[in-house]
Amino acid sequence: MDLLNAFVALANFVLIPATAYGAQLALGALGVTLIYGILRFSNFAHGDTMAFGAMVTVLFTWWFQSMGISFGPLPTALLALPFGILGCITLVLFTDRVVYKFYREQKAKPVIYVIVSMGVMFIMNGLVRFIIGPDDQRFADGERFIVSVREFKAMTGLKEGLAIKTTQGITVVTAVVVVAVLFWFLKRTRTGKSMRAYSDNEDLALLSGINPERVVMYTWMIVATLATIAGVLYGLDKTFKPFVYFQLLLPIFASAIVGGLGNPLGAIAGGFVIAFSEVTITYAWKKVLVYAMPESLEPNGLVQLLSTDYKFAVSFVILLIVLLFKPTGLFKGQSV
Amino acid sequence: MSETTRNTLYFAIVAGLILGTGFLQSWNSALFILNMGLISAIMALGVNLQWGFAGLFNVGIMGFVALGGLATALVAMPPIPEAWSAGGVRLLAGLALLVMSIVSTVLAYKRMEAGKLRTLAMLAILTIGFFAFRAVFDGGVEAVEAINPANAGNIGGLGLPVLIAWPVGGLLAAGAAWLIGKTALGLRSDYLAIATLGIAEIIIAVMKNEDWMARGVKNVIGLPRPVPYEIDLQNSASFVEKASNLGIDPVTASTLWVKTLYAGLFAIVLLVLFLMAQAALKSPWGRMMRAIRDNEDASEAMGKDVTRRHLQVFILGSAICGIAGAMITTLDGQLTPTSYQPLRFTFLVWVMVIVGGSGNNLGAVLGGFVIWFFWVQVEPMGQVLLTVLTSGMAEGSALKAHLMDSAAHMRLLTMGLILLLVLRFSPRGLIPEK
């Protein structure tokens, strides 16, 4: 038995990747939940909004790289991020003006919004594929690791290595900063308060003189910012591929619903719940158990509950369980 | 212009488009468009049942279609006795264990009193059941997949006539729909959309990864056919004679004849389903469904069980998609899980229903034909358009090359645009609901 090595292996293969993934999901789910809270529909185009913002960032990153601009040990993409956010905000506000505004004035049913958002999703998806192509794109640069396996082993003398990728570190730090700023904005500023008021009770908010179009505009701007950041972080950490963002839609929705749609705090919690379940259920536990169990009990197989191809099934099952037993989510979300 | 003349005109235009393809391009492609148009019309009927009759938003059509395809492989392929003797028992026993543990969890939930004890009991049953399932099942999978992996490596099918697979495909899809409907119906309308999106992804993932079932991404090829093979026709003296009497060479004649036979089969299915859907629409049941769609609260006050009716219509619509899926796979003669793309099998059907006219069966059928025709013809049109657009640019410029390469992605943009435009400016579609 060697619990220290077991813990290091656990941290290396489960805790750190799941934390980074959870932060990415949480940022994505925050966007979905804000749209739901203010505009009251599930935005199917969110995954492709993330892809679009990330694509603009990738293009700017390449441009900076070709000019020789770099960010030292950090990825150049962080420098390009503000431009990506601006690009995404422009697209999203344009979409709202030409597409969603009409249905708001009609007071259309939520299901119509969902269909419309599906149309938007396909247009955005087509746009991204048209501009950058459907393939994998690499845009990460800078230092690859904060702590590499070799350094860690030399430092501690343990048999198991521990690596923290720069992108994982950046993901978590950025997510914490973004969430802190967002909550400060929602709780302390006038606009943030009017957004919360509008989300809680539309009629009362209108009565007290809040301009709904302004609230909607700010919401879209915040959502585009969150989506771009989430998309870029995911792209840096894993890979940028348009179709992958479409597939992320399911875990993102699952996170938002698990936490309670319309509840920002819930979205964050939901993101981590989904990420940790996905990673722990699809991880082959043999490596950890070899250290943690007495030799006589060591497992023969991989001790993998589900193959990694089924990671979406995990978020789906969690989604079904929440819908069956607690449709408002862990943190009370808006009406069922 | 009266309604009947207008509708006749629409269908005459579609027929003209298909005939035009026959005269200008080739009769083989015209028949291909007709065949897939018939199947698309069936899918559109199914989705119209859910959306047009009941206002249910299903984003998982692809999954139900894929289940139909799976049914074709499982019903029509000859069984592989070696695989069954190697691991069949273990596979069945494993699946039985899985079902048993799920059933006992449900029973525990229903029979025991709410509280910590129940939660613990349910968790315990599920955990033990899952590990028992894996212990039995994994060995069976390994044994089956080891048998002749280059050509088989799966359990094969039942060896029944392929036409039986069509209703079976409908049943499989209905089962999946029941599972989803039971959880997501009765809640907000968005939840059904999200749940169906999920089930579709998972069905495809299962079909890609469970090689023992239908060979996964290694594909099942050579599915039996309900119609004769071209090569047999070409070898039959009487067929060659008939073809030469008509002045067509036997090879072309055989491909055309096979496609025509398929078209006949599909037309029969479409006609039967269409008549059933029409009868349903005009019956008290159809009026009740539309009443529920238009005002759930009022219908509930009238004593209608809204959730149950929704579940019913959701299952029926999904079953029709499953039948269509089995028909597609039969027409292709092979099962290729990678070919199931959400754009092609979910989104396109939605565009068909909305363009055709949601709530109107005839509209759904028309939409199926029209959109399928444009789907096939948009790519050559897009190529032409981009060639014209880029003709002014210098030869060999990077932008031109990029634009020409991207022509394939035009479909996504065009279809998204059509959907948004129709929803905005003509939300009732070509043939509106009466």
Side-chain angles (χ1 to χ4, degrees):
Chain A
M1 277 211 332
D2 187 350
L3 285 180
L4 202 56
N5 270 320
F7 179 73
V8 172
L10 179 74
N12 191 28
F13 293 107
V14 177
L15 299 182
I16 295 174
T19 311
Y21 182 43
Q24 291 149 9
L25 281 187
L27 288 179
L30 269 177
V32 166
T33 238
L34 281 178
I35 294 280
Y36 187 87
I38 308 285
L39 288 118
R40 295 168 218 285
F41 72 96
S42 308
N43 183 11
F44 272 69
H46 198 74
D48 289 295
T49 313
M50 282 165 67
F52 185 84
M55 179 196 73
V56 179
T57 314
V58 170
L59 293 177
F60 271 98
T61 311
W62 286 344
W63 188 45
F64 287 162
Q65 284 168 344
S66 70
M67 291 195 307
I69 300 175
S70 83
F71 203 5
L74 296 174
T76 318
L78 288 185
L79 284 179
L81 188 59
F83 299 95
I85 293 177
L86 277 181
C88 194
I89 287 180
T90 318
L91 177 81
V92 158
L93 286 182
F94 175 75
T95 319
D96 183 67
R97 177 53 53 92
V98 297
V99 183
Y100 294 117
K101 191 164 190 268
F102 172 78
Y103 297 97
R104 253 199 320 281
E105 282 162 2
Q106 299 266 304
K107 295 210 179 302
K109 283 198 275 185
V111 69
I112 300 287
Y113 276 105
V114 177
I115 297 185
V116 169
S117 80
M118 194 176 72
V120 171
M121 163 174 100
F122 276 89
I123 291 184
M124 281 188 181
N125 197 317
L127 209 60
V128 170
R129 289 181 192 214
F130 200 83
I131 296 175
I132 206 167
D135 304 318
D136 269 326
Q137 309 290 348
R138 259 190 57 79
F139 66 109
D141 55 1
E143 206 69 48
R144 261 178 69 69
F145 291 103
I146 298 174
V147 180
S148 79
V149 172
R150 205 148 41 94
E151 284 168 13
F152 181 83
K153 280 184 185 166
M155 212 156 60
T156 57
L158 286 170
K159 224 167 32 177
E160 269 306 311
L162 180 89
I164 302 179
K165 285 200 282 182
T166 317
T167 52
Q168 290 166 334
I170 291 174
T171 299
V172 174
V173 172
T174 319
V176 170
V177 172
V178 167
V179 168
V181 172
L182 178 70
F183 276 83
W184 170 81
F185 177 82
L186 289 177
K187 292 251 159 42
R188 293 273 179 270
T189 63
R190 212 181 144 72
T191 323
K193 282 180 188 165
S194 63
M195 276 172 66
R196 284 193 299 141
Y198 187 81
S199 164
D200 277 348
N201 190 326
E202 196 180 336
D203 294 333
L204 281 183
L206 292 181
L207 204 63
S208 61
I210 288 171
N211 178 358
E213 285 304 308
R214 247 176 79 90
V215 168
V216 167
M217 189 181 82
Y218 277 111
T219 311
W220 278 118
M221 286 167 69
I222 294 169
V223 167
T225 311
L226 287 170
T228 310
I229 294 173
V232 170
L233 291 178
Y234 188 85
L236 275 177
D237 194 18
K238 304 214 165 70
T239 170
F240 175 84
K241 189 177 182 184
F243 189 64
V244 169
Y245 288 93
F246 169 75
Q247 288 189 316
L248 267 184
L249 206 55
L250 183 63
I252 286 179
F253 271 131
S255 311
I257 293 179
V258 166
L261 263 180
N263 184 328
L265 204 61
I268 297 169
F272 284 99
V273 167
I274 295 287
F276 271 86
S277 336
E278 223 175 70
V279 176
T280 48
I281 289 179
T282 57
Y283 173 64
W285 284 89
K286 180 174 179 154
K287 204 161 182 142
V288 175
L289 292 181
V290 163
Y291 289 113
M293 306 263 262
E295 240 162 72
S296 54
L297 285 176
E298 274 174 21
N300 299 319
L302 286 171
V303 206
Q304 188 180 17
L305 294 179
L306 275 181
S307 105
T308 38
D309 300 306
Y310 289 133
K311 58 179 181 205
F312 294 119
V314 177
S315 30
F316 182 69
V317 171
I318 297 178
L319 176 74
L320 284 194
I321 294 173
V322 170
L323 286 188
L324 274 176
F325 297 109
K326 212 167 176 357
T328 45
L330 299 176
F331 294 70
K332 208 159 171 51
Q334 282 178 353
S335 68
V336 184
Chain B
M1 200 165 24
S2 84
E3 220 181 273
T4 334
T5 32
R6 189 199 59 197
N7 294 353
T8 324
L9 190 69
Y10 279 144
F11 278 95
I13 292 173
V14 170
L17 285 174
I18 295 177
L19 287 176
T21 312
F23 283 117
L24 294 175
Q25 296 176 352
S26 80
W27 286 104
N28 258 319
S29 39
L31 275 172
F32 168 75
I33 292 179
L34 175 68
N35 276 337
M36 282 306 293
L38 285 165
I39 297 179
S40 304
I42 295 176
M43 290 198 275
L45 268 184
V47 174
N48 184 43
L49 211 56
Q50 296 173 340
W51 168 243
F53 283 30
L56 298 177
F57 186 49
N58 173 2
V59 207
I61 304 163
M62 171 181 76
F64 300 112
V65 169
L67 277 179
L70 178 65
T72 320
L74 290 183
V75 167
M77 285 306 275
I80 301 172
E82 301 92 325
W84 276 103
S85 57
V89 181
R90 287 191 73 162
L91 282 182
L92 291 181
L95 288 176
L97 273 173
L98 186 67
V99 173
M100 265 163 54
S101 50
I102 291 175
V103 169
S104 24
T105 314
V106 174
L107 278 181
Y109 177 72
K110 289 211 166 131
R111 295 282 164 80
M112 289 170 74
E113 270 176 51
K116 278 219 177 88
L117 190 64
R118 184 174 78 174
T119 321
L120 280 178
M122 281 166 63
L123 278 178
I125 295 173
L126 272 184
T127 321
I128 296 169
F130 181 77
F131 281 103
F133 156 71
R134 285 291 301 261
V136 176
F137 192 71
D138 286 4
V141 169
E142 258 172 52
V144 167
E145 287 177 3
I147 306 274
N148 190 9
N151 298 320
N154 66 330
I155 52 170
L158 298 173
L160 295 171
V162 71
L163 286 183
I164 294 182
W166 298 3
V168 173
L171 282 180
L172 272 188
W178 177 81
L179 178 76
I180 293 301
K182 208 65 188 153
T183 25
L185 286 171
L187 303 171
R188 275 189 50 95
S189 52
D190 312 26
Y191 285 178
L192 180 71
I194 296 167
T196 46
L197 178 84
I199 191 93
E201 290 284 318
I202 286 160
I203 288 171
I204 303 297
V206 169
M207 282 176 60
K208 280 184 183 165
N209 290 299
E210 299 300 318
D211 287 7
W212 60 271
M213 197 162 61
R215 302 198 73 219
V217 287
K218 291 185 285 182
N219 304 341
V220 175
I221 51 170
L223 286 165
R225 279 178 166 190
V227 296
Y229 284 87
E230 286 88 347
I231 192 76
D232 296 337
L233 288 176
Q234 288 157 29
N235 290 335
S236 117
S238 65
F239 182 79
V240 173
E241 197 193 309
K242 272 183 213 152
S244 52
N245 284 344
L246 286 169
I248 323 171
D249 78 291
V251 177
T252 320
S254 64
T255 53
L256 289 179
W257 179 238
V258 167
K259 287 201 171 77
T260 315
L261 283 177
Y262 270 124
L265 278 174
F266 295 161
I268 293 170
V269 178
L270 175 62
L271 195 68
V272 169
L273 288 175
F274 175 76
L275 290 177
M276 282 165 70
Q278 275 304 79
L281 186 66
K282 287 189 181 130
S283 68
W285 183 82
R287 285 193 291 277
M288 173 183 66
M289 289 315 305
R290 284 190 287 171
I292 291 177
R293 178 195 65 190
D294 292 337
N295 193 337
E296 279 187 27
D297 294 335
S299 323
E300 206 145 3
M302 297 291 289
K304 305 297 175 201
D305 189 342
V306 172
T307 312
R308 267 191 87 87
R309 294 286 84 76
H310 274 169
L311 184 63
Q312 197 179 27
V313 79
F314 183 65
I315 291 176
L316 285 176
S318 304
I320 293 182
C321 291
I323 295 175
M327 290 162 65
I328 294 175
T329 309
T330 312
L331 179 66
D332 289 345
Q334 55 178 354
L335 178 67
T336 46
T338 42
S339 69
Y340 291 106
Q341 300 288 336
L343 167 72
R344 162 81 177 72
F345 286 101
T346 297
F347 187 61
L348 195 64
V349 185
W350 268 101
V351 178
M352 288 169 183
V353 173
I354 286 173
V355 169
S358 35
N360 190 316
N361 292 319
L362 206 59
V365 173
L366 178 73
F369 281 110
V370 172
I371 295 300
W372 178 254
F373 179 82
F374 282 107
W375 174 255
V376 175
Q377 302 287 12
V378 142
E379 199 157 293
M381 286 185 208
Q383 291 279 4
V384 173
L385 180 73
L386 280 176
T387 317
V388 174
L389 281 180
T390 55
S391 57
M393 290 183 201
E395 202 55 47
S397 83
L399 184 63
K400 179 170 179 171
H402 181 80
L403 282 176
M404 291 307 292
D405 280 346
S406 307
H409 309 302
M410 286 288 280
R411 277 179 170 178
L412 279 162
L413 277 173
T414 339
M415 289 297 150
L417 214 56
I418 292 180
L419 182 77
L420 287 185
L421 288 176
V422 172
L423 266 181
R424 168 82 180 259
F425 296 107
S426 171
R428 284 155 61 78
L430 288 174
I431 308 182
E433 188 183 358
K434 270 172 231 156

